[in-house]
Amino acid sequence: MAAAASGDGRRRLVVVGGSGLVGRHLVAAARRSGRRCLATYHRHPVAGGVRFDMAADRLSERLPDLGPGDAVVLLGAHVDQAWVDANAAAARALNVEATWRCANDVVDAGARLVFMSSEAVFAGDRENGYDEEASPSPVSRYGGLKAEVESRRRAPDAAGGIARAGWIVAADECRRCP
């Protein structure tokens, strides 16, 4: 695999949405393991991070050295399902259109892409869960938006991978843990 475009010969992990719950944990784990990691944030600054507004910015302009050797995990989205329901147009603008532009920008730069989706693409009606080949059947607007991006990413000419996160209850009952 080619070295990161940033020039020091080491691959880099870029976490778009590095200030969110999943992003913070991913960035911390990557840094603990010694991995070069860069987080982006929109409203909540991250130490050593880069401010990035998916709706207004191009990732390749905020990170001009983005390229082969970089892996980008695309987490940025409106995730509060009640907010998504109440703000359908704004949620679609970020969760589908801005996400799609960002994903294409990553692929066009030659970096590897992982789009973070959600178990919300499924109805939750299977006792034994779902596998990767199961067809999405969302019951929420949020799940429908994630399923739409998944569908676009699965097109024959689309590059990159899809990962889905779910929620479990952590040992502390007041906390959810991805």
Side-chain angles (χ1 to χ4, degrees), residues 122-144:
F122 299 117
D125 57 352
R126 290 191 186 173
E127 189 172 312
N128 294 321
Y130 300 85
D131 63 31
E132 299 87 32
E133 301 306 317
S135 295
S137 55
V139 295
S140 69
R141 182 181 311 273
Y142 172 79

Side-chain angles (χ1 to χ4, degrees), residues 91-109:
R92 179 177 180 70
L94 182 70
N95 289 15
V96 175
E97 301 309 327
T99 296
W100 186 246
R101 281 191 309 274
C102 186
N104 287 332
D105 202 22
V106 169
V107 171
D108 290 348

Side-chain angles (χ1 to χ4, degrees), residues 45-116:
V46 174
V50 172
R51 187 177 187 291
F52 175 60
D53 179 348
M54 279 180 41
D57 301 331
R58 290 198 54 201
L59 190 61
S60 60
E61 291 172 359
R62 300 296 295 148
L63 302 176
D65 62 343
L66 182 69
D70 289 326
V72 178
V73 178
L74 182 49
L75 293 165
H78 288 294
V79 298
D80 179 328
Q81 293 193 38
W83 188 94
V84 168
D85 286 342
N87 299 277
R92 179 177 180 70
L94 182 70
N95 289 15
V96 175
E97 301 309 327
T99 296
W100 186 246
R101 281 191 309 274
C102 186
N104 287 332
D105 202 22
V106 169
V107 171
D108 290 348
R112 292 178 183 233
L113 170 70
V114 176
F115 166 65
M116 183 58 71

